[in-house]
Amino acid sequence: MKPVFLSAVTALMLNVSLSAPALAGAEDIIVDGAWSRASIGTSRPGVAYMTIRNTGDEPVTLTEIRTEIAMMPEIHRTSTNEQGVSSMTPAGEIKIEPGETVALEPGGLHAMLMRLQRPMAEGESYKMTLVFSGGGEVVVEVPILGVAARGPEG
Ligand SMILES: [Cu+2]
């Protein structure tokens, strides 16, 4: 079956409804292994990791993330230069090709949670909404692991 393309107006209307179904590519997205590290307080940004897989046959673009736990959530990319110095910059929109998995993981892409609204306490979780081009959204429950956690198993 061919994918159905909604008009921008229709997508916008569905997007503001509380029971909006995932649309325009988002239904082909599978998010796995989401986790965050606990934070001591709220003065430093939090961080979230996960893998985002496009199981469809069209490219899907992640345009934005939202969460109630932070006022300014943003996808960042960490890179290390030839001198071994790491820095991070906003990653902008992330295109995920059909069959491709994009990993948000320590040392690479990550969801930076700036202006935390409350400390991220180990054992709690929060919701993060991934917004895709076309208005589709995927809501992920992100568990908060210990301050020294290195992954969902650790
Ligand atoms: Cu960052």
Side-chain angles (χ1 to χ4, degrees):
M1 217 175 99
K2 282 275 172 203
V4 176
F5 292 99
L6 297 164
S7 74
V9 172
T10 311
L12 196 67
M13 283 165 56
L14 289 171
N15 204 18
V16 296
S17 122
L18 286 176
S19 58
L23 327 148
E27 72 275 9
D28 294 323
I29 293 293
I30 295 177
V31 178
D32 270 323
W35 65 286
S36 265
R37 217 176 261 128
S39 70
I40 307 295
T42 57
S43 59
R44 308 249 315 147
V47 66
Y49 305 106
M50 64 196 72
T51 59
I52 307 166
R53 186 153 55 101
N54 179 5
T55 66
D57 47 20
E58 301 282 340
V60 177
T61 301
L62 174 63
T63 57
E64 190 190 344
I65 55 173
R66 293 189 212 125
T67 174
E68 87 281 351
I69 205 169
M71 297 272 285
M72 269 186 62
E74 193 170 60
I75 302 284
H76 281 181
R77 185 188 307 277
T78 299
S79 48
T80 305
N81 70 12
E82 288 165 5
Q83 283 76 41
V85 178
S86 293
S87 60
M88 59 186 178
T89 48
E93 299 191 338
I94 295 170
K95 188 174 180 184
I96 310 171
E97 298 293 342
E100 189 191 7
T101 300
V102 167
L104 275 54
E105 58 191 359
L109 289 170
H110 55 278
M112 185 110 278
L113 310 177
M114 292 171 288
R115 298 177 62 192
L116 283 180
Q117 298 300 289
R118 60 175 191 270
M120 296 171 75
E122 182 173 357
E124 294 182 357
S125 67
Y126 62 92
K127 287 188 167 53
M128 180 177 291
T129 303
L130 310 184
V131 184
F132 295 91
S133 51
E137 298 184 353
V138 174
V139 178
V140 185
E141 189 76 27
V142 185
I144 301 172
L145 307 182
V147 285
R150 292 172 152 268
E153 273 81 52

